[in-house]
Amino acid sequence: MVGTVAFAKQDLETKAKAVQKYLKENKISGWLLYDFHGNNPVATEFVQPKGMQTRRWYYFIPQSGSPWGLIHRIEQANFKGLYGNLEVYSSWEEQKRKLKEILAGHKEIAMEYSPLNAIPYVSRVDAGTIELLKSFGLKVISSADLVQYFQARWDKEAYLTHKEAVNALMEIKDKTFKLVRDKIKANQKITEYDLQQFIWNQYKQYQMISDYPPICAVNENAGNPHYEPTKENHQEIKKGDFLLIDIWAKKDRSGSIYGDITWTAYVGEKVPEKYVMIFNLVKEARDEAVKFLKDNWKKKTIHGWQVDDVSRGVIKKAGYADFFTHRTGHSIATEVHGNGVNIDNFETKDERKIIPGVGFSIEPGIYLKNFGVRSEIDVYAGEDSIEVTSLPLQTEIIPLLK
């Protein structure tokens, strides 16, 4: 399997021919990549134009035959050596006419479009451009499956970078909890922000990078899924507090895949029952999602929304549906929120198939007024099996002072 990292490094001719093979197998007439001012990262990652792009450009890959590029005259040097045929335009009339000529004979083409904006990660093409293509008599379908296949799958090299990341994050997690334990036992002050900065510096020690600082939250702040402590706004961590950390990072190397985990602890000797009860529900929701994946992986096609239903169903049955306020999981790739299938039938209904080679998180949560619990693991869909990559699983809230 050629994964997203290796695929991105291939020359445009090799990539275009791989796409044509996919188009034939899936009976899709063609894929039209379009960008304006970097609004479509799917297109720019695929074509990889050079220099400044301030005008609209198109790259059409038909099911058979040579691809076509349509570029503004003043920027054709940025597409030098483009594989396939090249047309240039200056005026809007010329652009419209030549685009129509390039697409002549096709009835249905794929673009970065998602009906009703169901999958925002893919919905990159503006409505006006869709209207333009419809005026040519074309039907535009979503390229969501195409994008996942070519930009979200991990090959062996990518998988190994992910394993490096999660193994490092596990060590950082242990060091983080030890720091809290040591500070509290020594009667020394430590805050959420101190902890966040400690983890941030640990990333550097492990030669890792991340798009944002980690989440370190106590008590009611843990009830805010995307709480972010800052130098000005944070709480001190004290004995008797409930503590949640959510850490995500990747190795500082080109093509590395993120790891993303969330663990919880109690700053005391014995975890109060109110925390244990909620944690056990979240743990069950997490584990039922994994069980569903493992039980059905070789038996039938699994869609992202189905896994969300399984996990969410556990929390709903227990009466906490209104307190699980986000999707069950997200795609993981070279970005922490990748372009693959999400485990989601809540924020969106992700009808994409879970295909071999993709990775994603499973992270159910329950968020109450005074605290919130989330347990996040990473999962890889292999050719033959489902693998939880971020082992060991958290099985209980850690009593830090025990």
Side-chain angles (χ1 to χ4, degrees), residues 19 22-23 28 30-31 110 142-151:
V19 168
Y22 181 97
L23 295 174
I28 301 170
W31 185 14
S142 178
S143 64
D145 291 332
L146 264 163
V147 172
Q148 171 170 247
Y149 188 85
F150 289 107
Q151 294 192 351

Side-chain angles (χ1 to χ4, degrees), residues 23 34 80 87 93 109 112 126 130 140 151-152 167 171 183 200 214 242 251 253 280 284 311 327 339 348 358 362 384:
L23 295 174
Y34 160 76
K80 188 176 181 180
E87 284 282 359
E93 294 101 334
I109 60 170
E112 283 66 72
D126 63 281
I130 300 296
V140 178
Q151 294 192 351
N167 290 340
E171 291 182 12
K183 288 286 187 180
W200 192 249
F242 178 86
K251 299 300 288 186
R253 298 196 300 268
N280 285 340
E284 182 184 355
S311 184
R327 63 192 171 202
N339 282 333
T348 69
V358 299
I362 298 288
D384 299 313

Side-chain angles (χ1 to χ4, degrees), residues 164-230:
E164 281 188 82
V166 292
N167 290 340
L169 289 174
M170 285 294 184
E171 291 182 12
I172 293 171
K173 175 262 299 179
D174 291 340
K175 291 181 179 181
T176 301
F177 287 148
K178 182 179 184 301
L179 176 65
V180 175
R181 180 185 301 114
D182 291 346
K183 288 286 187 180
I184 295 299
K185 285 187 173 181
N187 292 316
Q188 295 176 350
K189 182 178 179 180
I190 184 168
T191 70
E192 296 167 323
Y193 181 71
D194 294 333
L195 208 58
Q196 179 202 66
Q197 294 304 299
F198 171 80
I199 296 170
W200 192 249
N201 287 323
Q202 284 291 305
Y203 291 168
K204 297 174 185 176
Q205 295 296 317
Y206 281 82
Q207 298 180 318
M208 299 174 77
I209 56 175
S210 186
D211 55 353
Y212 290 103
I215 296 170
C216 300
V218 296
N219 304 331
E220 69 272 14
N221 291 336
N224 176 359
H226 275 186
Y227 169 75
E228 183 180 354
T230 64

Side-chain angles (χ1 to χ4, degrees), residues 56-159:
R56 289 170 286 187
W57 62 264
Y58 305 83
Y59 188 68
F60 180 60
I61 306 173
Q63 188 183 107
S64 61
S66 295
W68 283 88
L70 179 59
I71 314 298
H72 197 280
R73 278 185 173 82
I74 69 172
E75 293 184 347
Q76 48 186 314
N78 298 333
F79 294 83
K80 188 176 181 180
L82 187 77
Y83 171 66
N85 304 299
L86 179 65
E87 284 282 359
V88 294
Y89 74 91
S90 294
S91 69
W92 66 266
E93 294 101 334
E94 187 180 17
Q95 179 229 163
K96 183 177 178 179
R97 174 175 56 80
K98 289 189 173 180
L99 182 61
K100 186 174 183 179
E101 290 172 355
I102 288 170
L103 300 176
H106 297 273
K107 295 181 179 180
E108 183 178 89
I109 60 170
M111 292 191 78
E112 283 66 72
Y113 153 75
S114 180
L116 303 179
N117 195 26
I119 306 172
Y121 293 90
V122 179
S123 195
R124 302 289 187 172
V125 178
D126 63 281
T129 298
I130 300 296
E131 290 171 354
L132 174 63
L133 297 177
K134 287 182 177 179
S135 76
F136 298 161
L138 288 164
K139 179 181 179 182
V140 178
I141 64 172
S142 178
S143 64
D145 291 332
L146 264 163
V147 172
Q148 171 170 247
Y149 188 85
F150 289 107
Q151 294 192 351
R153 295 183 305 152
W154 311 350
D155 55 18
K156 184 177 180 180
E157 178 187 355
Y159 167 86

Side-chain angles (χ1 to χ4, degrees), residues 32-60:
L32 180 61
L33 292 156
Y34 160 76
D35 185 54
F36 175 66
H37 267 283
N39 289 337
N40 185 1
V42 172
T44 56
E45 181 179 319
F46 190 96
V47 177
Q48 297 181 7
K50 309 298 182 184
M52 184 187 304
Q53 296 109 52
T54 65
R55 304 299 195 273
R56 289 170 286 187
W57 62 264
Y58 305 83
Y59 188 68
F60 180 60

